[in-house]
Amino acid sequence: MTIAARKIRLLMQLRRAGINDTATLAAMERIPREAFVPRSFLDQAYENIALPIGLGQTLSQPQVVALMTQALRCDASHSVLEIGTGSGYQAAVLSRICRRVYTIERHKDLLEAAEARFAEMRLHNITSRLGDGARGWPEKRRFARIIVTCAAELPPEPLLDQLDEGGVMVLPVGGQGRGQDLLRLCKQDGIVSEENLGEVRFVPLVQDLPRAAGGQSA
Ligand code: SAH
Protein backbone atom coordinates (compact mmCIF):
# COMPACT_ATOMS: atom_id res chain seq x y z
CA MET A 1 0.00 0.00 0.00
CA THR A 2 1.37 3.46 -0.86
CA ILE A 3 1.99 6.11 1.78
CA ALA A 4 -0.89 8.16 0.34
CA ALA A 5 -3.29 5.22 0.67
CA ARG A 6 -2.14 4.49 4.24
CA LYS A 7 -2.63 8.14 5.13
CA ILE A 8 -6.20 8.12 3.77
CA ARG A 9 -6.94 4.92 5.71
CA LEU A 10 -5.64 6.55 8.91
CA LEU A 11 -7.70 9.72 8.36
CA MET A 12 -10.80 7.55 7.92
CA GLN A 13 -9.99 5.71 11.16
CA LEU A 14 -9.69 9.06 12.95
CA ARG A 15 -13.09 10.17 11.63
CA ARG A 16 -14.66 6.92 12.79
CA ALA A 17 -13.06 7.48 16.21
CA GLY A 18 -14.96 10.77 16.50
CA ILE A 19 -12.40 13.28 15.23
CA ASN A 20 -14.53 15.73 13.25
CA ASP A 21 -12.59 18.97 13.53
CA THR A 22 -11.64 19.79 9.95
CA ALA A 23 -8.60 21.91 10.92
CA THR A 24 -7.17 18.99 12.91
CA LEU A 25 -7.77 16.49 10.10
CA ALA A 26 -6.34 18.86 7.47
CA ALA A 27 -3.20 19.51 9.55
CA MET A 28 -2.64 15.79 10.08
CA GLU A 29 -3.10 15.21 6.37
CA ARG A 30 -0.47 17.85 5.60
CA ILE A 31 2.26 16.88 8.08
CA PRO A 32 4.21 13.78 6.95
CA ARG A 33 4.27 11.54 10.06
CA GLU A 34 6.86 9.33 8.35
CA ALA A 35 9.41 12.15 8.76
CA PHE A 36 9.04 11.98 12.56
CA VAL A 37 9.52 8.24 13.16
CA PRO A 38 12.76 6.23 13.23
CA ARG A 39 13.69 4.61 9.92
CA SER A 40 12.97 1.12 11.22
CA PHE A 41 9.33 2.08 11.86
CA LEU A 42 8.73 3.82 8.52
CA ASP A 43 6.19 1.23 7.35
CA GLN A 44 4.17 1.81 10.54
CA ALA A 45 4.08 5.61 10.29
CA TYR A 46 0.38 5.60 9.34
CA GLU A 47 -0.75 2.84 11.67
CA ASN A 48 -2.91 4.10 14.52
CA ILE A 49 -0.26 3.22 17.12
CA ALA A 50 2.32 4.97 19.31
CA LEU A 51 5.93 4.56 18.14
CA PRO A 52 9.26 4.73 19.99
CA ILE A 53 11.45 7.77 19.23
CA GLY A 54 14.50 6.84 21.32
CA LEU A 55 15.60 7.63 24.90
CA GLY A 56 12.60 5.67 26.17
CA GLN A 57 10.16 8.25 24.75
CA THR A 58 7.24 7.76 22.38
CA LEU A 59 5.43 9.57 19.62
CA SER A 60 1.75 9.33 20.60
CA GLN A 61 -0.84 7.31 18.72
CA PRO A 62 -2.30 9.46 15.89
CA GLN A 63 -5.75 9.19 17.47
CA VAL A 64 -4.42 10.74 20.69
CA VAL A 65 -2.62 13.53 18.79
CA ALA A 66 -5.88 14.21 16.95
CA LEU A 67 -7.99 14.10 20.12
CA MET A 68 -5.67 16.49 21.96
CA THR A 69 -5.40 18.87 18.99
CA GLN A 70 -9.18 18.94 18.58
CA ALA A 71 -9.70 19.34 22.35
CA LEU A 72 -7.46 22.44 22.41
CA ARG A 73 -9.95 24.34 20.20
CA CYS A 74 -7.18 26.47 18.74
CA ASP A 75 -7.21 28.79 15.77
CA ALA A 76 -4.92 31.14 13.85
CA SER A 77 -5.12 33.79 16.58
CA HIS A 78 -3.56 31.58 19.26
CA SER A 79 -0.06 31.08 20.61
CA VAL A 80 0.34 27.57 21.97
CA LEU A 81 2.82 26.28 24.52
CA GLU A 82 3.71 22.59 24.25
CA ILE A 83 5.57 20.67 26.96
CA GLY A 84 7.42 17.63 25.58
CA THR A 85 8.58 18.31 22.00
CA GLY A 86 9.71 14.69 21.52
CA SER A 87 9.82 14.00 17.78
CA GLY A 88 8.19 17.37 17.02
CA TYR A 89 5.14 15.82 15.35
CA GLN A 90 2.50 17.32 17.67
CA ALA A 91 4.16 20.75 17.41
CA ALA A 92 4.24 20.46 13.60
CA VAL A 93 0.51 19.60 13.49
CA LEU A 94 -0.33 22.56 15.77
CA SER A 95 1.86 24.89 13.69
CA ARG A 96 -0.52 24.44 10.76
CA ILE A 97 -3.48 25.61 12.88
CA CYS A 98 -2.12 28.23 15.30
CA ARG A 99 -0.23 31.47 14.94
CA ARG A 100 2.86 30.28 16.80
CA VAL A 101 3.94 27.19 18.72
CA TYR A 102 6.40 27.39 21.62
CA THR A 103 7.71 23.96 22.56
CA ILE A 104 10.01 22.74 25.35
CA GLU A 105 11.94 19.45 25.55
CA ARG A 106 14.32 18.26 28.26
CA HIS A 107 16.33 15.83 26.06
CA LYS A 108 18.87 17.69 23.93
CA ASP A 109 19.13 14.93 21.30
CA LEU A 110 15.37 14.77 20.76
CA LEU A 111 15.12 18.56 20.62
CA GLU A 112 17.87 18.86 18.02
CA ALA A 113 16.31 16.15 15.83
CA ALA A 114 12.92 17.88 16.06
CA GLU A 115 14.46 21.27 15.22
CA ALA A 116 16.12 19.78 12.13
CA ARG A 117 12.69 18.50 11.00
CA PHE A 118 11.05 21.91 11.55
CA ALA A 119 13.80 23.57 9.46
CA GLU A 120 13.57 20.95 6.71
CA MET A 121 9.78 21.41 6.50
CA ARG A 122 10.09 25.21 6.77
CA LEU A 123 7.82 25.35 9.80
CA HIS A 124 9.02 28.81 10.76
CA ASN A 125 6.32 29.54 13.35
CA ILE A 126 7.71 27.03 15.86
CA THR A 127 10.04 28.29 18.61
CA SER A 128 11.74 25.56 20.61
CA ARG A 129 14.01 25.36 23.61
CA LEU A 130 15.73 22.95 25.96
CA GLY A 131 14.49 22.90 29.55
CA ASP A 132 12.02 21.79 32.17
CA GLY A 133 8.63 22.61 30.70
CA ALA A 134 6.88 22.20 34.06
CA ARG A 135 8.23 25.67 34.86
CA GLY A 136 6.59 27.21 31.81
CA TRP A 137 8.20 29.51 29.26
CA PRO A 138 10.10 32.07 31.33
CA GLU A 139 10.03 35.16 29.09
CA LYS A 140 6.40 34.94 28.12
CA ARG A 141 3.58 35.96 30.40
CA ARG A 142 0.55 34.07 29.16
CA PHE A 143 -0.57 31.54 26.56
CA ALA A 144 -4.06 31.13 25.13
CA ARG A 145 -3.45 27.41 24.75
CA ILE A 146 -1.18 24.92 26.57
CA ILE A 147 -0.70 21.25 25.68
CA VAL A 148 1.33 18.82 27.79
CA THR A 149 2.39 15.57 26.12
CA CYS A 150 3.85 13.86 29.21
CA ALA A 151 1.97 12.91 32.37
CA ALA A 152 2.23 14.62 35.76
CA GLU A 153 0.46 13.68 39.00
CA LEU A 154 -1.14 17.12 39.03
CA PRO A 155 -1.23 20.03 36.57
CA PRO A 156 2.01 21.98 37.23
CA GLU A 157 1.25 25.31 38.99
CA PRO A 158 3.51 27.45 36.74
CA LEU A 159 1.50 26.23 33.73
CA LEU A 160 -1.82 27.07 35.39
CA ASP A 161 -0.40 30.56 36.08
CA GLN A 162 0.76 30.92 32.47
CA LEU A 163 -2.67 30.04 31.06
CA ASP A 164 -4.42 33.18 29.84
CA GLU A 165 -7.91 34.21 30.84
CA GLY A 166 -10.28 32.28 28.54
CA GLY A 167 -7.44 29.85 27.90
CA VAL A 168 -7.52 26.08 27.44
CA MET A 169 -4.97 23.51 28.60
CA VAL A 170 -5.04 19.83 27.58
CA LEU A 171 -2.90 17.40 29.57
CA PRO A 172 -2.67 13.84 30.84
CA VAL A 173 -2.78 13.55 34.63
CA GLY A 174 -1.80 10.52 36.70
CA GLY A 175 1.11 8.24 37.53
CA GLN A 176 2.81 5.42 35.65
CA GLY A 177 1.48 1.88 35.71
CA ARG A 178 -2.09 2.96 36.37
CA GLY A 179 -4.72 4.89 34.46
CA GLN A 180 -4.06 8.48 33.47
CA ASP A 181 -6.85 10.85 32.56
CA LEU A 182 -6.72 13.27 29.69
CA LEU A 183 -8.03 16.56 31.07
CA ARG A 184 -9.17 19.77 29.44
CA LEU A 185 -8.82 22.73 31.79
CA CYS A 186 -10.54 26.01 30.94
CA LYS A 187 -9.76 29.27 32.76
CA GLN A 188 -12.71 31.63 33.06
CA ASP A 189 -12.72 34.66 35.39
CA GLY A 190 -9.62 33.24 37.07
CA ILE A 191 -11.40 29.97 37.88
CA VAL A 192 -10.17 26.72 36.32
CA SER A 193 -12.82 24.16 35.35
CA GLU A 194 -11.96 20.59 34.45
CA GLU A 195 -13.33 18.07 31.97
CA ASN A 196 -12.21 14.44 31.71
CA LEU A 197 -11.73 13.33 28.09
CA GLY A 198 -10.92 9.71 28.86
CA GLU A 199 -8.12 7.37 29.78
CA VAL A 200 -4.68 7.67 28.17
CA ARG A 201 -1.12 6.47 28.69
CA PHE A 202 1.84 8.87 28.48
CA VAL A 203 5.50 8.81 29.51
CA PRO A 204 6.13 10.77 32.73
CA LEU A 205 6.75 14.47 32.97
CA VAL A 206 10.20 14.53 34.56
CA GLN A 207 10.88 17.47 36.84
CA ASP A 208 14.48 18.55 36.79
CA LEU A 209 15.61 19.38 40.29
CA PRO A 210 16.35 23.04 40.91
CA ARG A 211 20.07 23.75 41.12
CA ALA A 212 21.25 23.89 44.73
CA ALA A 213 21.62 27.53 45.69
CA GLY A 214 24.15 28.21 48.41
CA GLY A 215 24.40 24.65 49.72
CA GLN A 216 22.31 22.89 52.34
CA SER A 217 21.06 24.54 55.47
CA ALA A 218 21.71 22.82 58.79
N1 SAH B 1 4.77 15.56 21.62
C1 SAH B 1 5.73 14.52 21.34
C2 SAH B 1 5.55 13.32 22.25
C3 SAH B 1 6.72 13.27 23.14
S1 SAH B 1 6.76 12.07 24.45
C4 SAH B 1 5.70 14.10 19.88
O1 SAH B 1 4.82 14.59 19.13
O2 SAH B 1 6.57 13.33 19.46
C5 SAH B 1 6.96 13.17 25.80
C6 SAH B 1 8.19 14.03 25.79
O3 SAH B 1 8.16 14.84 26.97
C7 SAH B 1 9.51 13.26 25.84
O4 SAH B 1 10.29 13.62 24.74
C8 SAH B 1 10.14 13.70 27.16
O5 SAH B 1 11.55 13.81 27.09
C9 SAH B 1 9.50 15.05 27.37
N2 SAH B 1 9.49 15.55 28.76
C10 SAH B 1 9.27 14.86 29.91
N3 SAH B 1 9.33 15.70 30.97
C11 SAH B 1 9.59 16.95 30.48
C12 SAH B 1 9.77 18.22 31.08
N4 SAH B 1 9.69 18.41 32.40
N5 SAH B 1 10.02 19.28 30.27
C13 SAH B 1 10.13 19.12 28.92
N6 SAH B 1 9.96 17.94 28.30
C14 SAH B 1 9.69 16.86 29.05
Side-chain angles (χ1 to χ4, degrees):
M1 206 191 271
T2 63
I3 281 199
R6 289 176 196 205
K7 192 182 260 195
I8 290 168
R9 186 181 60 181
L10 176 62
L11 289 165
M12 278 161 47
Q13 282 170 350
L14 296 181
R15 281 182 184 278
R16 276 200 300 275
I19 307 299
N20 49 26
D21 178 51
T22 49
T24 298
L25 291 165
M28 289 185 66
E29 186 170 5
R30 253 177 95 181
I31 298 296
R33 193 165 185 263
E34 69 273 22
F36 294 82
V37 308
R39 242 170 222 294
S40 48
F41 290 97
L42 266 188
D43 60 336
Q44 294 174 60
Y46 290 97
E47 300 295 320
N48 194 12
I49 53 174
L51 291 173
I53 53 171
L55 297 167
Q57 307 304 321
T58 49
L59 166 47
S60 304
Q61 185 189 5
Q63 194 171 316
V64 173
V65 172
L67 178 65
M68 291 177 85
T69 306
Q70 173 168 283
L72 262 186
R73 296 180 174 148
C74 46
D75 63 39
S77 73
H78 294 135
S79 279
V80 185
L81 171 64
E82 180 196 28
I83 311 306
T85 315
S87 69
Y89 179 71
Q90 175 75 72
V93 168
L94 287 169
S95 79
R96 300 299 82 196
I97 302 172
C98 309
R99 186 161 60 83
R100 180 157 286 280
V101 181
Y102 295 82
T103 182
I104 310 180
E105 169 58 51
R106 61 182 291 280
H107 278 301
K108 190 162 183 280
D109 292 357
L110 292 178
L111 183 72
E112 286 175 354
E115 285 172 342
R117 294 178 181 117
F118 301 152
E120 167 87 11
M121 288 173 205
R122 299 174 193 276
L123 302 174
H124 298 306
N125 63 338
I126 303 178
T127 308
S128 49
R129 76 191 293 161
L130 190 66
D132 177 4
R135 298 183 202 178
W137 191 282
E139 298 86 23
K140 233 180 156 296
R141 280 195 54 229
R142 296 266 196 268
F143 289 92
R145 299 290 183 266
I146 299 179
I147 181 170
V148 186
T149 63
C150 38
E153 290 284 350
L154 287 171
E157 275 302 326
L159 298 183
L160 289 171
D161 290 344
Q162 231 173 2
L163 187 63
D164 213 349
E165 176 59 29
V168 177
M169 171 156 41
V170 173
L171 80 171
V173 167
Q176 301 295 307
R178 61 182 171 81
Q180 299 165 358
D181 291 312
L182 186 66
L183 302 185
R184 171 165 52 202
L185 307 182
C186 300
K187 198 190 253 188
Q188 213 56 256
D189 301 323
I191 295 168
V192 176
S193 63
E194 174 185 314
E195 227 176 304
N196 192 334
L197 305 177
E199 209 169 286
V200 285
R201 185 186 295 253
F202 276 83
V203 296
L205 179 142
V206 178
Q207 292 260 44
D208 296 320
L209 293 171
R211 280 197 202 93
Q216 270 184 320
S217 51

